[in-house]
């Protein structure tokens, strides 16, 4: 895990905001240092994370008050991101920590996700407040979330026998333990192309393989073909949701490792959802474009 440190490039030039960000990084750094000590007990992690959560909520309130004071026109969108992180992402992470009795491995995973979320949020959203980076002016897809969520949850129940909770409506590509990714491109009437990018943790993948084939485990050499068998019904279900026709059957070229995922993710998926289940995270992203001519 990379070392968690504050960087001056995270400053946005607003004292109360910058001071809070720096303190959050210091708390994360202390927790990271504790996780490297074998004698650290679960109680220490629990209390440290409790303090981190409380301070994060205080910071959100202060930042939102500042945005209101300057009549920031992106306030509603920004507050929605804060609310989703508080109500979905943080709740899901805390549940995983409690289930593991604050094991060192889960604490490190928590810290990694927190570090990535905070870094990306500062650089992509907070810098917009003061005009240091332009707003992405993304399409507001909030009205579509219930439809997408319903389709994903129905597929989760059918294929994995688990319920899915929407953990983050503005997933930023941080490592959530996902190792297997797959993408598919579709055609829609009117010259529109749609691309879906899905990812899942291994426990979900194995549950799907077991449901489809009865196998309890897979050999590494069989992993690709087995993954395709799981992703195929997922993409079929999503294609029906968008009333789109796939550009072809899935094959091994559609599968992606984490490095390929990160490269593709940066191409601009304007819908980026992270779902949590008892077997791990599931990533759902899509983007669309119109063909010239």
């Amino acid at each position: 895990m990379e070392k968690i440190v504050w960087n001056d490039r995270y400053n946005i030039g607003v004292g109360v905001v910058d001071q809070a960000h720096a303190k959050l990084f210091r708390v994360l750094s202390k927790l990271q240092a504790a996780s490297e000590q074998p004698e650290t007990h679960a109680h220490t992690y629990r209390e440290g994370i409790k303090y981190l959560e409380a301070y994060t909520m205080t910071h959100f309130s202060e930042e939102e008050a500042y945005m209101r004071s300057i009549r920031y026109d992106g306030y509603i969108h920004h507050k929605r991101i804060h609310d989703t992180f508080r109500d979905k992402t943080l709740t899901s992470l805390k549940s995983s920590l409690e289930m593991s009795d604050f094991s060192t491995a889960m604490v490190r995973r928590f810290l990694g996700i927190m570090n990535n979320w905070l870094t990306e949020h500062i650089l992509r959203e907070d810098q917009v407040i003061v005009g240091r980076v332009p707003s992405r002016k993304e399409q507001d897809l909030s009205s579509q979330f219930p439809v997408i969520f319903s389709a994903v949850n129905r597929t989760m129940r059918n294929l994995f026998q688990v319920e899915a909770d929407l953990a983050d409506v503005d997933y930023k590509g941080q490592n959530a333990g996902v190792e297997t990714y797959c993408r598919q491109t579709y055609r829609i009437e009117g010259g529109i192309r749609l691309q879906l990018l899905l990812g899942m943790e291994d426990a979900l993948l194995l549950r799907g393989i077991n449901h489809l084939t009865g196998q309890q485990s897979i050999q590494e050499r069989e992993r690709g073909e087995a993954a395709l068998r799981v992703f195929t019904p997922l993409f079929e279900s999503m294609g029906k949701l968008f009333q789109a026709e796939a550009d072809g059957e899935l094959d091994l070229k559609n599968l992606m490792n984490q490095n390929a995922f990160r490269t593709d993710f940066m191409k601009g998926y304007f819908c980026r959802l992270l779902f949590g289940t008892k077997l791990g995270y599931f990533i759902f992203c899509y983007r669309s474009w119109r063909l010239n001519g």
Side-chain angles (χ1 to χ4, degrees):
M1 179 179 174
E2 64 180 282
K3 189 172 179 62
I4 298 175
V5 294
W6 168 256
N7 190 306
D8 284 342
R9 71 192 179 102
Y10 302 151
N11 283 321
I12 71 170
V14 178
V16 66
V17 174
D18 292 335
Q19 291 166 18
H21 287 162
K23 185 169 183 177
L24 285 169
F25 274 89
R26 287 197 299 271
V27 176
L28 286 171
S29 180
K30 287 180 180 179
L31 282 167
Q32 184 182 43
S35 74
E36 296 170 355
Q37 302 300 319
E39 67 275 12
T40 302
H41 298 291
H43 174 74
T44 301
Y45 293 138
R46 183 178 283 105
E47 292 304 309
I49 289 171
K50 185 187 298 183
Y51 176 81
L52 175 66
E53 178 189 10
Y55 191 78
T56 300
M57 296 308 103
T58 298
H59 162 59
F60 282 176
S61 295
E62 292 175 342
E63 188 172 273
E64 289 163 12
Y66 173 76
M67 288 189 287
R68 291 194 300 269
S69 74
I70 63 171
R71 298 182 179 179
Y72 174 52
D73 60 7
Y75 173 79
I76 293 176
H77 167 73
H78 199 120
K79 187 178 187 305
R80 185 184 297 127
I81 294 173
H82 284 175
D83 291 347
T84 300
F85 179 79
R86 180 194 65 221
D87 299 336
K88 299 292 186 180
T89 307
L90 197 55
T91 298
S92 177
L93 289 172
K94 285 167 57 183
S95 177
S96 297
L97 284 166
E98 291 287 352
M99 290 178 63
S100 74
D101 194 25
F102 286 79
S103 69
T104 297
M106 282 304 302
V107 167
R108 288 176 178 172
R109 179 184 178 191
F110 169 85
L111 295 175
I113 292 174
M114 282 288 295
N115 180 44
N116 287 333
W117 188 92
L118 185 59
T119 300
E120 291 296 322
H121 183 71
I122 292 171
L123 295 177
R124 290 196 179 192
E125 301 294 341
D126 290 346
Q127 296 283 358
V128 176
I129 298 173
V130 294
R132 291 194 172 183
V133 297
S135 171
R136 286 174 292 169
K137 295 182 179 178
E138 294 176 323
Q139 178 182 357
D140 184 0
L141 300 167
S142 58
S143 63
Q144 297 184 36
F145 289 163
V147 177
I148 296 173
F149 173 75
S150 177
V152 170
N153 211 4
R154 182 169 58 251
T155 305
M156 290 286 113
R157 288 195 298 268
N158 292 340
L159 187 58
F160 304 107
Q161 295 83 52
V162 295
E163 295 288 330
D165 292 317
L166 189 55
D168 194 348
V169 298
D170 191 34
Y171 171 67
K172 297 180 174 61
Q174 63 268 32
N175 184 2
V178 175
E179 295 185 1
T180 307
Y181 306 87
C182 193
R183 65 183 172 190
Q184 175 66 297
T185 304
Y186 300 82
R187 300 184 299 276
I188 302 178
E189 290 184 6
I192 302 294
R193 285 290 186 270
L194 170 74
Q195 188 169 72
L196 300 184
L197 175 59
L198 309 181
M200 70 182 76
E201 290 198 60
D202 273 0
L204 272 172
L205 179 64
L206 290 174
R207 174 66 69 87
I209 292 170
N210 176 255
H211 176 70
L212 293 170
T213 69
Q215 293 177 260
Q216 297 292 331
S217 62
I218 54 170
Q219 300 293 324
E220 190 62 32
R221 66 177 181 276
E222 302 171 341
R223 182 184 179 89
E225 293 293 344
L228 288 178
R229 295 192 65 173
V230 176
F231 277 109
T232 294
L234 282 170
F235 281 112
E236 288 176 352
S237 175
M238 296 302 105
K240 293 176 182 177
L241 170 66
F242 291 97
Q243 298 181 334
E245 182 179 352
D247 271 347
E249 294 185 1
L250 292 179
D251 60 31
L252 294 177
K253 291 183 294 185
N254 295 78
L255 293 174
M256 309 168 71
N257 60 24
Q258 194 170 93
N259 288 334
F261 160 75
R262 289 187 180 279
T263 299
D264 190 73
F265 185 82
M266 296 306 293
K267 293 180 180 179
Y269 286 84
F270 52 79
C271 178
R272 307 175 303 274
L273 307 179
L274 181 67
F275 292 87
T277 77
K278 67 179 182 180
L279 295 177
Y281 286 111
F282 175 76
I283 295 168
F284 175 96
C285 307
Y286 81 78
R287 65 190 183 100
S288 61
W289 65 95
R290 184 180 297 276
L291 296 178
N292 294 327

